[in-house]
Each structure stands twice: as C-alpha cells, then as structure tokens.
C-alpha cells in the first residue's frame, strides 16, 4: 500500500481519450460489458473468444498462448486489463485472414428474460474489416459488445495501473469493505480522492473533491465504468444521509453531474489504508 501518482480520471483518459494504442491507432474502450445477464451479458464476446482464442497463426501461435487463458477469461467477462486488449487487437490486425475462419453472433444486451438478442451472424472480417478501416473496425466491435469493461474491472485495473495491485483480484462490490478498503468514511468533510464508493452491486472511485457545499454536501468528480463504459462524472453533488448501509457504514447519495452518473441510490464510502494521492 502506497501513494498513488495517478488519479482515476487519468486511467479513464488512457482507456477512452484518445484510447488504447494499437498498431492501427487509438481505440476507445468506451463500452460497458458484464457477464451477468441482468447487466447485459457478454454474448458477442463469448461468440468471439470461444473459437478465436484457439486458432493458430502462420507461426503456430494462438491467442491463448500469446495473451494467457486467465487474461482472456477476464476480458471475456468485462474485467480485462488494458494491456490485454491491445495484445488481442494487435493479434487480430496481424492475422485478419484468421477472422474469416468462423462465424460470430453480433448481440445486443441480453433480453429481460436472459435470452440472447442476436442482431447479426457472420464472419468478423466480412462484417467489419472488409467494410472499414482497421481502427474503425475495432471501434465498431467495441460498440457491438465484443470488448468492454464493468465496474469491478475498471476499479481493479486502475489499482493495477497505479501500482497498488500487482495482479488482478476479483472482488464483488459488497465485499470491498471487507477485502479492499476497510476504513469507513461517515463524515462528508473527510471524503478524499481515491475513496471507494460502494453500492451493493456497484463500485466507483472518488476522483477529486472540489469543495464543501454545506455540512452535509460536497462537490466531487467520480470515475467508474457503468452504462456508457469507463467515464469521469464531473461536478457531482455528494450528499450525506442519516441512513446506514453496508457493514453499518454511513449512507451517501449523489445528484447532478456531467455526464450524469448512471448509477444512483444510496451507497457507502470506504478508504484503503495507506493508499492516497
């Protein structure tokens, strides 16, 4: 545990502004992707990785060997590392002929009953790379939910990016107070950058505290991955409530913001010991 030399907004910028640097140029990872069916599922990603990870190039190398099975599994469920996505995309660009070996399903979010919502079926090269530039093809695949990041993936990979973690640790949001950030913040005057905003099913990070509005409210920036993908929500009003939430922590709520944070409701705030900016 140590000082961070990065704020969360800098990791958002790495992902989407201008995006991750591939051999075809920057590609924005501006998509939310989560394997949980109620959060949209990962049907496009599943149709891609289940076969493409095993197809060998001219040198006898496949994506599974190049990137690693665990790294691909994390990318498949929306928790992949930014370096992993670059490796995957550059392998695709180098071996576009392999993208015509099999068909994929281009899917929208899972339907409310949990079933797939298939928009199109075909070969990747013909759907994307034969119709547009390499960079545009990869960006279109991001939009079509072959690649993306969920809230857990965003926070975990920020902790890796800033050097706080040396590898990925999968922790569901409700367990962050037990396993990641154990210091409860129950006074709005004590909120600082890098504090963890924890809902029962979502996690985000305080990026900056601009000012106290009154003894129950403050103006902050926050970062997260939710609907719309990795993002920084600026000038959000953070309000202290009288309620108690996870592990007895003080509940807070949020108002406003640009863009407006997709997840609202009540949450608690936690700090990781020895982790500060």
């Amino acid at each position: 545990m140590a000082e961070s030399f990065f704020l969360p907004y800098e990791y958002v910028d790495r992902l989407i502004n201008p995006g991750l640097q591939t051999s075809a140029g920057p590609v924005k990872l501006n998509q939310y992707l989560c394997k949980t069916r109620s959060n949209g599922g990962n049907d496009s990603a599943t149709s891609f990785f289940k076969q493409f990870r095993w197809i060998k190039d001219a040198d006898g190398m496949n994506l599974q060997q190049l990137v690693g099975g665990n790294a691909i599994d994390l990318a498949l469920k929306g928790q992949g590392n930014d370096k992993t996505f670059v490796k995957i995309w550059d392998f695709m660009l180098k071996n576009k002929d392999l993208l015509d070996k099999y068909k994929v399903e281009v899917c929208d979010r899972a339907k409310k009953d949990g079933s797939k919502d298939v928009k199109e079926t075909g070969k990747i090269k013909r759907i994307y790379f034969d119709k547009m530039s390499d960079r545009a093809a990869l960006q279109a695949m991001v939009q079509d939910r072959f690649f993306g990041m969920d809230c857990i993936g965003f926070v975990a990979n920020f902790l890796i990016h800033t050097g706080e973690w040396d590898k990925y640790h999968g922790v569901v949001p409700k367990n962050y107070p037990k396993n990641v950030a154990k210091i409860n913040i129950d006074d709005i005057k004590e909120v600082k950058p890098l504090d963890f905003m924890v809902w029962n099913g979502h996690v985000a990070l305080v990026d900056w505290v601009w000012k106290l509005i009154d003894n129950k409210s403050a103006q902050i920036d926050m970062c997260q991955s939710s609907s719309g993908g990795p993002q920084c929500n600026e000038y959000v009003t953070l309000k202290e409530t009288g309620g108690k939430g996870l592990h007895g922590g003080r509940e807070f709520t949020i108002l406003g913001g640009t863009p407006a944070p997709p997840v609202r409701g009540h949450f608690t705030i936690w700090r990781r010991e020895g982790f500060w900016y």
Side-chain angles (χ1 to χ4, degrees), residues 159 165 171 175-182 196 271-273:
L159 292 174
W165 282 354
V171 182
N175 288 337
Y176 263 71
K178 291 192 297 182
N179 300 327
V180 179
K182 302 178 182 179
F196 295 75
R271 182 171 300 155
R272 182 169 171 83
E273 185 177 3

Side-chain angles (χ1 to χ4, degrees), residues 112-180:
K112 290 185 177 181
D113 64 3
S115 62
K116 287 192 290 188
D117 186 359
V118 181
K119 298 191 298 180
E120 184 177 0
T121 300
K123 296 179 179 180
I124 292 173
K125 186 171 181 292
R126 297 179 187 179
I127 296 174
Y128 300 101
F129 290 88
D130 287 348
K131 297 179 180 179
M132 58 193 81
S133 70
D134 289 351
R135 178 183 173 188
L138 290 174
Q139 193 65 65
M141 290 187 71
V142 172
Q143 299 312 310
D144 283 342
R145 303 173 57 79
F146 288 93
F147 312 104
M149 190 173 278
D150 69 7
C151 66
I152 299 170
F154 174 79
V155 172
N157 283 297
F158 168 72
L159 292 174
I160 293 171
H161 177 72
T162 197
E164 182 65 8
W165 282 354
D166 62 357
K167 62 181 180 180
Y168 180 85
H169 297 280
V171 182
V172 297
K174 67 180 181 179
N175 288 337
Y176 263 71
K178 291 192 297 182
N179 300 327
V180 179

Side-chain angles (χ1 to χ4, degrees), residues 9 26 28 48 73 80 85 91 93 109 121 161 167 176 178 198 203 250 258 266:
Y9 88 87
K28 302 176 188 292
F48 169 70
D73 288 342
F85 288 112
F91 183 82
L93 295 173
R109 292 175 56 91
T121 300
H161 177 72
K167 62 181 180 180
Y176 263 71
K178 291 192 297 182
V198 182
V203 61
R250 167 82 63 187
T258 305
H266 290 184

Side-chain angles (χ1 to χ4, degrees), residues 40 53 56-57 67 76 83-84 86 89 100 104 109 115-116 151 177-178 200 202 212 214 227 234 254 271 274:
R53 68 195 296 171
K56 293 182 178 180
D57 65 11
V67 178
L76 172 61
K83 296 181 178 66
T84 295
V86 173
W89 293 339
D100 251 355
V104 296
R109 292 175 56 91
S115 62
K116 287 192 290 188
C151 66
K178 291 192 297 182
N200 185 53
H202 184 59
L212 279 173
D214 53 43
S227 178
E234 300 179 302
I254 48 177
R271 182 171 300 155

Side-chain angles (χ1 to χ4, degrees), residues 218-222 224 231-238 254-262 264:
Q219 188 180 72
I220 68 166
D221 292 347
M222 59 183 288
Q224 61 183 311
Q231 60 195 272
C232 184
N233 311 105
E234 300 179 302
Y235 306 118
V236 175
T237 299
L238 175 69
I254 48 177
L255 303 169
T258 305
R264 301 282 181 161

Side-chain angles (χ1 to χ4, degrees), residues 22-24 88-96 99 129 134-135 138:
T22 73
S23 59
I88 292 169
W89 293 339
D90 281 346
F91 183 82
M92 293 170 64
L93 295 173
K94 184 180 178 181
N95 300 284
K96 282 186 285 185
L99 299 174
F129 290 88
D134 289 351
R135 178 183 173 188
L138 290 174

